[in-house]
Amino acid sequence: MESAALARDFIRKLGYASNADAIRMLMSGGIINAPITGHDVYRAQKIFGPDIASLKGKTRASPSAIVKLEHIPRPIAAEQSMHVDIMFVQSIPFLVSVTVPLGMTIAGKLKDGSRSTKALEVAILSQIAMYKGQGFTISTVLVDGEGGIAKCEQVLNGMGIQLSPAGPGQHVPVVERKIQVIKQAARAHLAVLPFRMPHSWLQWLVYFCCSRVNVRPGSSDSDGLSPREKFVGRKLDFHRDLRVGFGDYVQVHAQNIKKNSMAPRTVGAIALLPMGNLQGSVRFISLQSLRVITSDK
């Protein structure tokens, strides 16, 4: 560890030379009495990760990667029933839905933290639209005794969707189980984050946990396909879809930087949520502006 730290300081004293240049100098005998070897430079990269100063000073803009379409045949019926319930996480209400037989779970924060009929209606219609955009049809919405959701019946009936409320004191078990899984994952993340998370980031943690639930095949999925794979029609890519976890510290390419300026080329950021698109975009909190930004690199 001490030799690796010396190697990182050696890089700094060389004017933030590249690892390849530093190793070449050490291996060729261009430096005498050096307390480190080329292997120490290599180990420093593995232990400490990329040098932040080099990232900020040397990162160059690169063209966007060519997007490859990888559609697979959809092995699931287009018509779905949607099981809906309200989940509270640290007093923040989310509308959670699970479709059957697809098994896709979607969580949406209710606008302004309200459980009003209007807020619930907006959330339900937004989630139904997501399925419609992927060619699925919602035929039935199953809910528990939540009065606000029941008042959306007229709007849903006008779309040809039947609302099926549960009896008094009854719950919708399919979505209840998913809510438990999302909360368990959120608690696990909060328990090990190396910083105290602002309350305003909580919705992003819920969305992240929900998205990770969708990439895992259920125990009853005999075909081994995850709900996400069935929903979007493409397989999970390790390098594109699993690049970051919630709360990871990264350096993202700075936006709108003049090429001839001395402004840093990267910005420190905290990963929030992979967007699941073909470009591998991720939403981050910029530590410079404290705003949510989106970056591919």
Side-chain angles (χ1 to χ4, degrees), residues 87 105 107 178-190 202-216 246 272-274:
M87 171 182 71
T105 305
K178 291 292 187 179
I179 287 175
Q180 292 176 5
V181 174
I182 292 172
K183 286 187 174 182
Q184 288 169 356
R187 280 194 295 267
H189 280 84
L190 289 173
L202 187 61
Q203 63 174 315
W204 294 105
L205 174 58
V206 170
Y207 295 155
F208 177 85
C209 294
C210 186
S211 71
R212 301 306 92 176
V213 168
N214 286 325
V215 302
R216 306 196 297 259
F246 182 86
L272 298 176
L273 176 70

Side-chain angles (χ1 to χ4, degrees), residues 2-271:
E2 182 179 350
S3 296
L6 287 173
R8 183 51 58 93
D9 189 54
F10 171 67
I11 294 290
R12 180 183 65 83
K13 291 175 179 177
L14 281 177
Y16 294 107
S18 68
N19 286 347
D21 286 344
I23 291 173
R24 190 180 304 113
M25 292 177 67
L26 290 167
M27 298 293 288
S28 66
I31 300 178
I32 62 173
N33 299 323
I36 57 173
T37 65
H39 187 65
D40 293 324
V41 175
Y42 173 80
R43 287 195 306 112
Q45 176 77 5
K46 291 297 182 180
I47 293 172
F48 302 116
D51 179 67
I52 301 299
S54 296
L55 286 176
K56 287 183 174 292
K58 300 180 181 181
T59 298
R60 292 180 292 179
S62 57
S64 299
I66 298 175
V67 174
K68 297 181 180 179
L69 298 178
E70 305 168 356
H71 291 296
I72 61 173
R74 179 170 289 157
I76 200 75
E79 188 170 304
Q80 303 286 317
S81 62
M82 177 184 284
H83 301 238
V84 177
D85 201 359
I86 294 178
M87 171 182 71
F88 287 90
V89 180
Q90 293 186 0
S91 75
I92 299 178
F94 295 84
L95 184 76
V96 180
S97 68
V98 181
T99 46
V100 176
L102 179 61
M104 186 76 174
T105 305
I106 298 178
K109 179 178 176 289
L110 294 179
K111 188 176 181 180
D112 300 325
S114 170
R115 296 169 61 186
S116 66
T117 300
K118 185 61 179 177
L120 290 166
E121 180 182 310
V122 170
I124 290 177
L125 294 181
S126 174
Q127 295 186 15
I128 290 174
M130 293 176 65
Y131 286 100
K132 184 177 180 180
Q134 292 293 334
F136 291 97
T137 301
I138 304 299
S139 59
T140 307
V141 174
L142 296 90
V143 300
D144 64 4
E146 180 65 36
I149 298 178
K151 292 178 182 178
C152 300
E153 183 172 10
Q154 185 175 356
V155 175
L156 294 175
N157 288 345
M159 301 171 61
I161 300 173
Q162 179 184 357
L163 184 68
S164 179
Q170 300 298 313
H171 296 280
V172 184
V174 173
V175 69
E176 285 284 322
R177 175 55 187 154
K178 291 292 187 179
I179 287 175
Q180 292 176 5
V181 174
I182 292 172
K183 286 187 174 182
Q184 288 169 356
R187 280 194 295 267
H189 280 84
L190 289 173
V192 297
L193 282 177
F195 55 85
R196 186 172 181 179
M197 189 185 76
H199 193 258
S200 59
W201 297 12
L202 187 61
Q203 63 174 315
W204 294 105
L205 174 58
V206 170
Y207 295 155
F208 177 85
C209 294
C210 186
S211 71
R212 301 306 92 176
V213 168
N214 286 325
V215 302
R216 306 196 297 259
S219 58
S220 60
D221 292 327
S222 58
D223 54 11
L225 302 179
S226 69
R228 176 190 178 276
E229 186 174 343
K230 298 173 186 176
F231 182 70
V232 300
R234 66 175 185 269
K235 292 187 175 295
L236 199 69
D237 186 295
F238 183 89
H239 297 290
R240 179 187 61 206
D241 302 311
L242 300 176
R243 293 198 294 167
V244 295
F246 182 86
D248 286 352
Y249 169 74
V250 302
Q251 289 286 320
V252 302
H253 284 216
Q255 301 174 352
N256 303 320
I257 295 294
K258 293 182 179 180
K259 292 184 177 180
N260 61 347
S261 75
M262 296 302 292
R265 272 17 186 183
T266 64
V267 176
I270 302 295

